[in-house]
Amino acid sequence: MNALAQDIDGATGISRRAVDAKVAVVLFGTGVVGGAFLKLLGTPVAAPLQLVGVANSRFQQTRTRQLAERGIRDHLNHGGDARDNEALLAALDASDADLRVIVDATASSSLARHHAAWLARGYHVVTANKAANGSSLAAWRELKTAQRTGRTRYGDAATVGAGLPAIATVRRLHACGDAMLTLEGVFSGSLGWLFSTYDGSEPFSRLLRRARELGYSEPDPRMDLSGQDVARKLLILARTAGFRLASDEVVVENLVPEDLRDLAPEAFLAAAESLDAPLAARHADAKSRGRVLRYLARLDQRGHARVGLAEVASDHPAANLCGTDNLFAFTTTRYHAQPLVIQGPGAGAEVTAQALLGDILTLS
Ligand SMILES: NC(=O)c1ccc[n+]([C@@H]2O[C@H](COP(=O)([O-])OP(=O)(O)OC[C@H]3O[C@@H](n4cnc5c(N)ncnc54)[C@H](OP(=O)(O)O)[C@@H]3O)[C@@H](O)[C@H]2O)c1
């Protein structure tokens, strides 16, 4: 049995958990989220965690001295060992830790294809990458089976809503037999910002460029506008709530006109004016009915799932959303008069890295 104590670090005021289980960690991805996770590893709460390997898409490092260096992320950008996943797993095996954890802070589908095999081999997997649990139903089932086979856990908190407790809440409701009647929300910070800022006074394409400059959207905004990322998050939440939903069962409204889908990113931005007139018309229509446009994800109790633009009335929880906040509204058999609502920043390096750390600490 692991003793677990909790106290407060005098200097930082941060709660410090002293856990006697040692945790060996391999980190994939040293970008925005991976970089913030590396910083968290240097804080007192992460004392039980020992980094035994780290990789970006080009290089990796497993040597203790180099891993302990402050600039490991920058060093890896300039060189390191050649990429070899098995060598990273060998570093986990060589550790005398009680728990072995693989952290995936990439968006790589090829890496996500290994999640189930890693779980089955006895490694816990903690991920911000939704390319496994947000893909096919077969892949979702494989993850479940692999956890049973390997007696391991899949830390998925960071795959929806960054640090917000969206999946944890749905999981708890489901475990308590509280059936989901409607699951609804704004699951994309960039689409949330775009439609809460858009009031028809300036062209949508201009807002799109501003969102990109402010770092709210992906470098190629079509990644957000396609709705695919939102659809994956809806799939993850729906499956967690007990709906065995296949990827093609989510109706997705892609806001990118067909003739702009295959253009290079800069060419797309140059041609994005063609979004302006149709969106201005939809905005004016909604306004004439006293409503506003929001890019909503929605699931009903029959398992009908849709992501796309919707008109919402002023008393809808999404109507007053501002900035890049995410919103999750759950109407269940027990939360039926008013939905259970979770709202807050649904992206950001620190909160996402914290969700990864939280999943690891939960394991221990
Ligand atoms: N940013 C957020 O606020 C946020 C919030 C919630 C969830 N997420 C999710 O978190 C994940 C990471 O996001 P990010 O913003 O940190 O992305 P990012 O800044 O683009 O970083 C991605 C990192 O993954 C590495 N990588 C790619 N393929 C790899 C592979 N096969 N093996 C090892 N490393 C690989 C990249 O390596 P290189 O450096 O060599 O390119 C890079 O270091 C994504 O799945 C994203 O959807 C992000």
Side-chain angles (χ1 to χ4, degrees):
M1 196 64 156
N2 298 318
L4 180 77
Q6 188 165 29
D7 63 346
I8 302 295
D9 182 272
T12 62
I14 295 172
S15 159
R16 181 169 55 205
R17 296 155 63 99
V19 184
D20 65 6
K22 282 199 285 179
V23 185
V25 173
V26 155
L27 170 68
F28 288 94
T30 58
V32 174
V33 173
F37 180 77
L38 284 171
K39 277 195 192 142
L40 271 184
L41 286 184
T43 62
V45 283
L49 277 60
Q50 189 199 357
L51 187 69
V52 299
V54 57
N56 61 24
S57 68
R58 296 151 289 138
F59 300 110
Q60 65 187 48
Q61 186 55 262
T62 51
R63 287 180 207 85
T64 313
R65 194 171 59 77
Q66 277 84 348
L67 287 171
E69 285 170 5
R70 270 181 177 268
I72 176 68
R73 183 183 179 211
D74 292 335
H75 294 170
L76 267 190
N77 277 327
H78 298 108
D81 294 337
R83 284 286 288 110
D84 173 10
N85 290 347
E86 285 305 318
L88 290 161
L89 301 192
L92 279 177
D93 295 340
S95 148
D96 64 353
D98 305 285
L99 294 167
R100 294 176 173 76
V101 182
I102 295 170
V103 177
D104 185 347
T106 78
S108 163
S109 301
S110 57
L111 217 50
R113 276 194 281 277
H114 294 288
H115 286 184
W118 289 337
L119 288 165
R121 279 173 63 176
Y123 306 107
H124 301 281
V125 177
V126 168
T127 182
N129 180 0
K130 52 190 149 326
N133 57 348
S135 65
S136 69
L137 190 53
W140 169 274
R141 290 193 167 122
E142 222 183 310
L143 290 171
K144 297 278 161 207
T145 308
Q147 287 172 79
R148 282 194 294 274
T149 308
R151 296 170 162 234
T152 46
R153 300 264 296 275
Y154 195 58
D156 53 8
T159 59
V160 178
L164 298 176
I167 298 181
T169 303
V170 172
R171 188 165 282 138
R172 179 171 285 219
L173 293 170
H174 184 57
C176 293
D178 195 1
M180 191 67 70
L181 304 180
T182 314
L183 191 164
E184 199 174 42
V186 173
F187 301 172
S188 155
S190 51
L191 291 170
W193 183 84
L194 282 166
F195 287 101
S196 59
T197 309
Y198 183 56
D199 61 3
S201 65
E202 64 177 318
F204 187 82
S205 56
R206 197 181 298 163
L207 273 188
L208 204 55
R209 282 187 207 102
R210 201 178 326 143
R212 192 174 182 244
E213 283 156 20
L214 291 167
Y216 293 161
S217 78
E218 294 290 333
D220 183 344
R222 286 171 297 186
M223 305 264 285
D224 302 304
L225 296 171
S226 72
Q228 285 303 331
D229 192 63
V230 175
R232 281 183 168 183
K233 290 174 185 168
L234 182 59
L235 274 174
I236 294 168
L237 288 177
R239 289 167 179 170
T240 306
F243 294 85
R244 295 294 161 250
L245 213 61
S247 334
D248 61 3
E249 287 179 281
V250 183
V251 178
V252 182
E253 181 183 6
N254 186 340
L255 295 179
V256 184
E258 261 185 63
D259 55 330
L260 304 190
R261 288 182 195 168
D262 296 327
L263 297 180
E266 292 307 325
F268 163 71
L269 281 170
E273 275 82 12
S274 63
L275 275 83
D276 294 344
L279 284 174
R282 284 178 81 169
H283 172 79
D285 256 16
K287 196 174 170 187
S288 70
R289 284 186 279 274
R291 293 165 169 246
V292 291
L293 292 178
R294 293 290 181 264
Y295 197 88
L296 276 193
R298 194 168 199 281
L299 172 86
D300 69 19
Q301 66 191 109
R302 285 171 298 167
H304 295 154
R306 178 184 186 275
V307 306
L309 265 192
E311 290 183 10
V312 299
S314 57
D315 61 349
H316 189 282
N320 298 314
L321 209 58
C322 60
T324 55
D325 273 7
N326 276 197
L327 176 125
F328 302 88
F330 308 127
T331 306
T332 67
T333 41
R334 294 175 198 133
Y335 288 95
H336 57 86
Q338 291 289 338
L340 188 169
V341 175
I342 297 170
Q343 182 180 335
E350 286 194 343
V351 289
T352 310
Q354 176 163 284
L356 294 172
L357 178 63
D359 272 347
I360 299 174
L361 293 177
T362 303
L363 285 172
S364 65

